[in-house]
Amino acid sequence: MQANATSSSPVGFFDSGRGGLCILEAFRKLAPREPTVYIADSANCPYGNKSAGEILALSRANARRLLENFGCKMIVVACNTATAAAIDSLRREFPDTPFIGIEPAVKPAAMRSRSGIVGVLATAGTFSGRLYNETKAKFARDTTVIATVADEFVTLVEEGRTDGPEVEEAVRRRLAPLLDAGADNIVLGCTHFPHLRKVMERICAGKAEIVDPAQAVARQAVRVLAKHSLGAKRADRTPLDLRLNTRRTPDAAAPARSVLVTGGVRRIGRAIADRLAAANWRVLRASHRDDPLADITCDLASDGAADALFAAATALLGSPPAAIVNNAAVYPGEEDEAWRVNAAVPIRLTEAMAESSQGGAVVNILDAAVASGRAETRAEFKAYERAKQALHRATLEDAARFSGRLHVYGVAPGPVLAPEAVHEKARLSPGQTRRTPADVADTVLRMLESRPASGAIEIV
Ligand code: DGL
């Protein structure tokens, strides 16, 4: 175990991309109390055709991030290719951390097969690894194992294409020879492939069984946690489910122009993130939903979300962000959720910035009605209003508290027309004019670039 890891530390997972999410989801179902951190190393995807040395270096970097940035108590290598190339070295290098790996389920497939013919779909890297070859020699001596490299499936899954005529054609091309040869078990030896399971089952049409080890890996992870007395003891209300995507980014900006935008994939947050990116900022977008644009996915109402988010930004950038735009908010919401997302998380993120940086900036997205003291009359927005009032006050207090170390600003939009239509919260009252997300984004950019005196709040 990592020196500072405890039973309440998260379990770490990594893969070259979306593949390992199958393992993560199986684990979270089995162990719903466990906080988890998942790294999708999309910047370096695919791993399958890289050399063992390259895969080892990437795996090491992922393990380091999980241990150093998040203090993970255990690591699940949710990738057959990385397990093949790296698990022995990782166990040697980090002897205090339990590692769980995944390898093609050749043994159960060989045991189950009646035809004595088994197909295995995996990457070239997995097929050349020691684990696969030893397992095959030991448990499938009397079985004909047909190894098929299907790297193109990885690309399809990464592009979010998991069904449709083109996918069906690609899958058929790989499965037909296996079925024609009499294979009655087909092993998914790459964690990306279960995402194509529906299509595979259609093509197999009952002639072969699909073997996916995700459940077995999840069970093993739970057993190992228990063995090391590392299972989560406290039942958090919403245990952390943090996902990072290392996506390839244009190597524009200097570290001094890195910014984390919460709620950065939709509405005002998206406009802000787009505007900053266009002005050559290195933008990390956080979102509570799985979105192709999101660099970090995390429900801000979950336990420990603010610190986890800050750690995620630091892990992705290699150093803390130079700025944070606290934009995410829930509108009609349950009191506790509205409080956490709209006030507690931005306030904690501001503290984290002050603790780690000199000369950074935070922009809190406030509310024009709150800023001008207009009382909210609709009951469903009361919790929102209370939280935004607290954030407004905190903006002023933090500007004073962190003076000389951090610039703290507020931008308070009135009713804004979002591209997805007007949110009920943004209904116009008589005499009001409607602004656009671009107006808000321009104001945020101007504040970050011209750095007025800390504590400035602009109503848009
Ligand atoms: N998902 C990975 C595996 O299980 C590798 C996919 C790739 O990046 O090639 O093998």
Side-chain angles (χ1 to χ4, degrees):
M1 188 189 7
Q2 180 73 350
N4 53 358
T6 67
S7 60
S8 52
S9 305
V11 178
F13 294 74
F14 74 85
D15 178 40
S16 62
R18 302 182 58 77
L21 289 175
C22 301
I23 314 274
L24 175 76
E25 271 147 27
F27 176 79
R28 289 189 61 85
K29 232 181 241 153
L30 219 56
R33 287 175 166 203
E34 294 293 343
T36 54
V37 177
Y38 179 93
I39 297 179
D41 190 15
S42 310
N44 298 297
C45 191
Y47 281 8
N49 55 9
K50 293 191 165 52
S51 74
E54 281 174 292
I55 300 165
L56 175 58
L58 295 170
S59 302
R60 216 178 244 149
N62 291 326
R64 282 231 171 89
R65 278 177 170 143
L66 290 169
L67 295 173
E68 288 165 15
N69 295 95
F70 302 98
C72 287
K73 60 185 174 186
M74 180 172 88
I75 292 181
V76 179
V77 182
C79 171
N80 293 261
T81 314
T83 301
I87 197 138
D88 295 339
S89 309
L90 292 176
R91 285 183 173 136
R92 268 198 307 277
E93 190 171 337
F94 307 103
D96 299 329
T97 302
F99 280 86
I100 308 289
I102 179 166
E103 61 170 311
V106 173
K107 179 182 168 187
M111 279 164 59
R112 243 183 266 166
S113 173
R114 287 207 219 134
S115 64
I117 303 166
V118 161
V120 183
L121 299 168
T123 66
T126 297
F127 287 130
S128 58
R130 175 184 66 80
L131 271 175
Y132 168 76
N133 289 293
E134 278 181 13
T135 305
K136 191 174 78 160
K138 202 153 144 202
F139 298 107
R141 220 175 311 128
D142 305 322
T143 306
T144 304
V145 178
I146 312 174
T148 300
V149 173
D151 286 347
E152 68 280 16
F153 292 1
V154 176
T155 316
L156 289 175
V157 171
E158 284 301 305
E159 289 170 355
R161 293 193 288 156
T162 54
D163 209 340
E166 229 183 297
V167 175
E168 183 140 350
E169 186 42 41
V171 174
R172 192 181 303 281
R173 213 175 306 132
R174 294 297 180 199
L175 288 193
L178 301 177
L179 296 172
D180 290 347
D184 62 355
N185 275 262
I186 293 178
V187 177
L188 305 186
C190 169
T191 51
H192 278 74
F193 300 173
H195 293 269
L196 302 172
R197 187 172 184 140
K198 232 175 48 205
V199 180
M200 290 183 181
E201 273 168 353
R202 218 157 45 221
I203 290 167
C204 286
K207 279 186 252 156
E209 208 177 308
I210 309 282
V211 186
D212 170 14
Q215 298 297 334
V217 174
R219 279 196 299 273
Q220 173 67 359
V222 171
R223 270 195 299 271
V224 170
L225 274 183
K227 189 177 120 200
H228 290 266
S229 305
L230 280 175
K233 296 193 176 56
R234 217 181 53 201
D236 279 342
R237 205 189 67 144
T238 319
L240 184 73
D241 176 4
L242 177 74
R243 303 176 187 195
L244 286 69
N245 190 324
T246 65
R247 81 183 65 256
R248 203 169 286 131
T249 43
D251 30 57
R257 292 174 74 82
S258 59
V259 59
L260 168 68
V261 181
T262 66
V265 304
R266 294 202 319 150
R267 297 178 182 274
I268 294 179
R270 170 145 188 198
I272 294 170
D274 287 349
R275 185 75 191 90
L276 292 171
N280 203 31
W281 282 73
R282 160 88 160 93
V283 179
L284 292 180
R285 297 168 198 252
S287 169
H288 68 288
R289 69 185 76 216
D290 188 16
D291 185 289
L293 272 180
D295 301 281
I296 304 167
T297 309
C298 179
D299 177 0
L300 295 188
S302 60
D303 297 281
D307 288 291
L309 193 58
F310 193 77
T314 305
L316 288 174
L317 294 166
S319 57
I324 293 184
V325 180
N326 281 312
N327 160 75
V330 294
Y331 294 94
E334 186 237 313
E335 181 83 36
D336 185 48
E337 186 193 19
W339 178 259
R340 287 184 186 219
V341 175
N342 301 0
V345 165
I347 291 169
R348 175 65 202 134
L349 281 171
T350 306
E351 270 170 10
M353 277 294 279
E355 283 159 15
S356 75
S357 83
Q358 286 286 339
V362 168
V363 182
N364 290 324
I365 302 301
L366 306 171
D367 185 292
V370 169
S372 34
R374 271 198 309 277
E376 175 60 66
T377 51
R378 292 162 294 178
E380 71 271 31
F381 295 119
K382 275 291 184 194
Y384 163 89
E385 181 190 49
R386 272 192 290 276
K388 285 287 182 184
Q389 279 166 343
L391 186 59
H392 195 107
R393 279 194 304 273
T395 304
L396 299 170
E397 285 162 14
D398 287 349
R401 184 151 72 113
F402 303 128
S403 163
R405 247 188 304 161
L406 187 68
H407 289 83
V408 186
Y409 302 124
V411 172
V416 164
L417 177 66
E420 301 94 323
V422 180
H423 190 284
E424 173 64 8
K425 175 74 189 67
R427 238 171 26 194
L428 284 185
S429 30
Q432 272 183 318
T433 46
R434 191 178 295 291
R435 311 306 294 264
T436 66
D439 296 328
V440 182
D442 286 342
T443 309
V444 171
L445 177 65
R446 187 161 34 73
M447 287 183 124
L448 285 179
E449 303 233 314
S450 66
R451 298 288 167 102
S454 191
I457 291 179
E458 279 203 37
I459 298 181
V460 180

